[in-house]
Structures are given as C-alpha cells and as structure tokens.
Amino acid sequence: MEKSIGFEIRSISNQIKRYLDSLPAFQSNEVRGIYGYVIGFLYRNSDRNIFQKDIEEELSTRRSSVTNLLGQMEKCGLIERLAVKDDARLKKVVLTEKAIAMQKQIEQEISGVENQLCKGFSQGEKEALIAMLAKVRKNVEEYSTLNGKTPQI
C-alpha cells in the first residue's frame, strides 16, 4: 500500500507538537499557546511600533479578543502598553524583559528541534524538502479555495 503524503505530514506535525509541548519553555504556565505566538510576533517586529490593531490583523482576530488577550499578558508581566508621544490615545505594545528572556529560551529550544529534524540532511536535501513542502502547501491552498474553504495553513 502506497503511503499518503497527507497522513505522513499530519503524523510528523503531531509528533513535533507533542515534543515542543514537552520542552521546558513551553511547560511554563505563562506561555500558553497564543501567548508564545504574540511574544514571537512582537520580538520579530521589535524594530517598529506595534499596536493592538497590528496584532488583531496578524491573528485575524476580533478587537475584543485581542483586548482580553493583551490584558491577560500584561497581568502576567509579559507585555506593557505604552503611550506614544504623538498621540496619547495610541498605546504601543512592547515586550517586558521577562518575555524577551522567554523568547530567547524558546528560540534556543526550537533551534535544537530544527537541528534534530534536519539531522543527516545535506543543505541541498533541506532546500529540496522545503521547496516540495511549499508546493504541497500551495496545492492545499488552491484546493481549499476551489472548494470554497478558507485554508488554515
């Protein structure tokens, strides 16, 4: 019986998720699923002002949900909302030192996972795999669009 690409990808994805969930950085009660994503987004964009609206767009989430999320993250000491000089009504969202330290630990642990995933691969093989997976992603997106479903990839 021929192996199914979709099944293999799903199986690998589940294994990676279980392993990531077991890493020390993700064992903290303060790094709940979406918090880690927001911390990563803010960290990657630390060279510019990020406002609640930017997070709403990034997460494709309603304003009220992001307001609650940011309030919880602020309560945990992960973010601060600071007034902007030019417009006191605007509050930029910035990471605290605590969140920056968490992000660095997460990046280090994810780097170790990435190294394990690529163990035994040449640079050419890694590039070829990434290219093939990009094709699979594109095919799924096209299929979803043709069938009237929004792709969640």
Side-chain angles (χ1 to χ4, degrees):
M1 179 176 175
E2 189 175 323
K3 290 195 176 198
S4 161
I5 292 172
F7 178 80
E8 289 297 322
I9 290 172
R10 184 167 190 262
S11 177
I12 291 167
S13 176
N14 287 340
Q15 287 178 310
I16 292 169
K17 183 183 180 329
R18 278 193 300 273
Y19 183 75
L20 287 174
D21 288 345
S22 75
L23 293 173
F26 295 101
Q27 293 298 307
S28 165
N29 289 331
E30 294 170 331
V31 182
R32 298 184 192 122
I34 195 71
Y35 290 12
Y37 189 84
V38 173
I39 290 169
F41 173 71
L42 291 169
Y43 188 81
R44 287 187 306 278
N45 291 282
S46 61
D47 60 330
R48 65 184 184 102
N49 288 339
I50 298 292
F51 302 99
Q52 179 170 330
K53 184 178 181 192
D54 299 313
I55 296 169
E56 291 166 14
E57 289 172 6
E58 178 69 15
L59 299 177
S60 300
T61 306
R62 294 178 315 219
R63 182 178 186 184
S64 60
S65 298
V66 174
T67 298
N68 290 334
L69 171 67
L70 294 179
Q72 292 166 356
M73 290 181 73
E74 197 167 30
K75 196 174 182 180
C76 289
L78 299 173
I79 63 156
E80 293 178 318
R81 291 184 264 196
L82 306 174
V84 178
K85 277 185 182 181
D86 301 337
D87 189 345
R89 296 171 298 168
L90 282 177
K91 303 268 191 230
K92 66 181 178 177
V93 182
V94 296
L95 294 174
T96 62
E97 288 300 318
K98 176 181 178 180
I100 291 169
M102 291 169 74
Q103 177 63 25
K104 288 180 179 177
Q105 181 184 1
I106 289 167
E107 284 181 349
Q108 186 176 27
E109 291 178 5
I110 288 176
S111 177
V113 171
E114 187 71 16
N115 288 337
Q116 182 62 31
L117 291 174
C118 297
K119 189 175 171 181
F121 282 62
S122 69
Q123 185 62 32
E125 288 172 325
K126 287 192 283 189
E127 290 170 6
L129 178 59
I130 289 170
M132 286 185 271
L133 291 172
K135 284 182 182 181
V136 169
R137 177 187 300 263
K138 183 176 180 241
N139 291 342
V140 170
E141 289 170 353
E142 286 175 4
Y143 181 77
S144 297
T145 302
L146 290 173
N147 290 298
K149 296 178 181 153
T150 306
Q152 298 296 315
I153 298 176

